[in-house]
Amino acid sequence: MTAKLRRRPFDAQAKGALDALRVVDLSRLVAGNVLTKVLGDHGAEVIKVEPPAGDSLRAWKTGGVETSWKTLCRNKRSLCLELRNPAAIEVVRKLAATADIFVESFRPGVLEEMGLAPDVLLALNPALVVVRISGWGQTGPFSHKPGFGTLVEGYSGFAAINGFADREPVLPPMFMADAYAGLYGASAAMIALHHARATGEGQVIDVSLFEPIFAMLEPQMANYRISGKKKPRTGSRSTNTAPRNAYRTKDGGWVGLSSSTQAMFAKLMKSLGRPELLEDPRFRTNSDRIRHLDEIDGVVRDYIAGITLAEALEQFDRDGVTIGPIMDVAGLDEDRYVAEREALIEVPDEEMPGGWLPMHGEIPRLSRTPGILRNPAPALGEDNDALLLPLLGGKELARLRAEGVILHGAAAA
């Protein structure tokens, strides 16, 4: 039976833990939008300041639908400005003066060229938290280089250990470096905000795409210093524990299995009907098993190859063995756990087949102040008037619109 995803309406009056926090977001693509999605999902007012063509994320479409924009930019507002016009920069300065957090992801030096250098912003708003996202950081010999995640996923050492030993290094098929940077950036912004609230002192946060993914590879550098050996590409195997791998079942399914403790290895051998292998000197300890990895892996592989996916899951779950199915997007779309946990939800969207857009639920989960769904991802310039009328007044707003400084939105149509 297909699991039914929970259908959630948007509630414009919803409030979260970060209600009254204002975030001005000039970032593009993934990292900055992940950062501000976390804040927006918990109540912050996130103002996306977009150029006339919109955030580049809007161009990533499937079937003509802006799926990346819709899923990463819910709970945000859109202000469209011609940022090459000095009058637009003045509008951004006024917004920054009202904000708690300012986010940008231009190449280092561009913000300064725009007249929005951190010292300018902090002079306007001394308690402002300025988050700067770039590929390689604001300083260092690579600060001038393009900052695509692919480049840092290769440079960080991740690709070198990902894949199989007899094949090429494998880059991740998703926005890994960007997502890590966005999550680190959200944490850093809240740390700096705590300091600002306590002292009145804002500061600048330098988030590179490189350092978060590089940090996730601990403790490999220490291991290398001790052993003098580079971590090899091992596919789904582990260099720390065995057996651990992806195994194919009789009916073509795949399972992931790990026996990372001695107790779990004992449960696995008993479930396979091979308790005698617990006393085999090749497999007695984890270190022994690592030295005879092919042999022990073959025992598990051959057994699982003789049963179906359903049989494997039922048997090993009953026997307390750590195993799970390797899911794909089709399976996850109909999965009971994903649905009941609300890891995936559906929201109204007229552009989607059936009128519902699947997207991830709000994370992290807070017991007293859960995440919210305040509004869908905005159309380009949708919030121009609502945001700028109280900031500029009607006369100035009309003048800037007439001069092409403020673009798109209902009033500009």
Side-chain angles (χ1 to χ4, degrees):
M1 178 175 160
T2 301
K4 294 292 186 182
L5 298 181
R6 182 176 176 190
R7 291 181 168 176
R8 299 266 303 278
F10 289 101
D11 178 2
Q13 305 307 313
K15 296 184 183 298
L18 301 181
D19 183 50
L21 186 74
R22 171 170 274 196
V23 182
V24 175
D25 182 3
L26 270 70
S27 71
R28 304 287 181 266
L29 294 175
V30 177
N33 277 316
V34 168
L35 190 164
T36 55
K37 178 187 176 184
V38 173
L39 304 182
D41 278 1
H42 289 275
E45 179 192 34
V46 178
I47 302 171
K48 288 288 302 179
V49 179
E50 302 186 69
D55 188 322
S56 303
L57 193 67
R58 291 181 181 272
W60 295 359
K61 301 179 182 181
T62 298
V65 179
E66 298 174 347
T67 51
S68 293
W69 173 258
K70 287 175 181 285
T71 53
L72 286 176
C73 291
R74 68 189 183 196
N75 293 326
K76 301 180 185 181
R77 309 176 79 181
S78 175
L79 174 61
C80 184
L81 297 175
E82 178 48 87
L83 292 172
R84 292 173 296 185
N85 191 310
I89 299 303
E90 184 58 33
V91 172
V92 175
R93 290 194 190 101
K94 290 181 179 179
L95 279 172
T98 71
D100 300 282
I101 298 172
F102 184 97
V103 182
E104 63 98 1
S105 64
F106 298 112
R107 176 179 51 79
V110 169
L111 200 68
E112 287 80 356
E113 294 170 4
M114 295 170 68
L116 295 170
D119 58 344
V120 172
L121 299 176
L122 288 168
L124 292 167
N125 183 351
L128 185 65
V129 173
V130 181
V131 185
R132 309 194 71 176
I133 302 172
S134 62
W136 306 96
Q138 300 296 315
T139 61
F142 287 179
S143 61
H144 66 286
K145 285 180 172 285
F148 288 3
T150 297
L151 304 183
V152 302
E153 287 155 0
Y155 201 92
S156 67
F158 171 81
I161 63 170
N162 193 41
F164 292 86
D166 60 345
R167 304 177 205 173
E168 72 279 4
V170 178
L171 294 161
M174 35 79 80
F175 319 123
M176 181 179 287
D178 294 82
Y180 282 155
L183 295 173
Y184 265 92
S187 298
M190 298 311 297
I191 293 168
L193 184 65
H194 178 76
H195 175 79
R197 294 279 170 88
T199 66
E201 296 175 345
Q203 60 185 297
V204 181
I205 300 171
D206 180 358
V207 180
S208 73
L209 300 190
F210 172 79
E211 284 154 331
I213 191 171
F214 182 62
M216 297 301 290
L217 300 181
E218 293 281 23
Q220 287 185 38
M221 198 63 69
N223 294 346
Y224 173 72
R225 291 279 186 90
I226 292 170
S227 68
K229 296 179 180 179
K230 294 182 287 186
K231 182 177 175 67
R233 290 193 293 280
T234 57
S236 295
R237 287 178 170 178
S238 170
T239 56
N240 299 316
T241 185
R244 190 263 196 185
N245 211 335
Y247 301 96
R248 192 169 190 176
T249 62
K250 181 179 179 180
D251 54 349
W254 289 90
V255 295
L257 181 148
S258 174
S259 54
S260 55
T261 66
Q262 190 66 22
M264 186 54 63
F265 178 68
K267 288 183 179 181
L268 173 60
M269 291 301 101
K270 291 173 183 177
S271 185
L272 297 183
R274 300 295 304 273
E276 76 279 5
L277 295 182
L278 294 171
E279 299 305 320
D280 189 311
R282 297 172 300 169
F283 312 134
R284 191 170 290 142
T285 69
N286 185 63
S287 296
D288 295 329
R289 295 191 292 275
I290 291 290
R291 285 194 296 270
H292 298 91
L293 194 148
D294 286 339
E295 294 98 315
I296 191 60
D297 206 38
V299 171
V300 179
R301 182 189 64 241
D302 292 347
Y303 184 91
I304 291 177
I307 58 177
T308 66
L309 176 62
E311 290 168 342
L313 297 176
E314 191 280 328
Q315 173 184 330
F316 292 127
D317 187 57
R318 179 195 67 218
D319 295 341
V321 175
T322 46
I323 192 173
I326 294 178
M327 303 287 283
D328 59 22
V329 67
L332 290 168
D333 197 28
E334 301 180 348
D335 184 68
R336 177 183 172 187
Y337 169 79
V338 169
E340 292 190 7
R341 182 71 178 167
E342 294 187 31
L344 196 66
I345 59 175
E346 290 184 324
V347 298
D349 192 302
E350 294 180 355
E351 292 188 301
M352 288 296 296
W356 293 92
L357 171 71
M359 60 169 57
H360 295 110
E362 308 96 315
I363 53 174
R365 296 171 181 266
L366 281 69
S367 63
R368 290 193 177 274
T369 55
I372 63 170
L373 287 176
R374 185 171 46 225
N375 58 270
L380 181 58
E382 179 179 323
D383 302 289
N384 285 350
D385 287 3
L387 289 168
L388 295 183
L389 185 59
L391 187 72
L392 304 175
K395 184 176 180 180
E396 180 68 1
L397 177 63
R399 182 183 72 81
L400 293 178
R401 185 183 296 118
E403 293 178 359
V405 174
I406 299 170
L407 305 167
H408 299 285

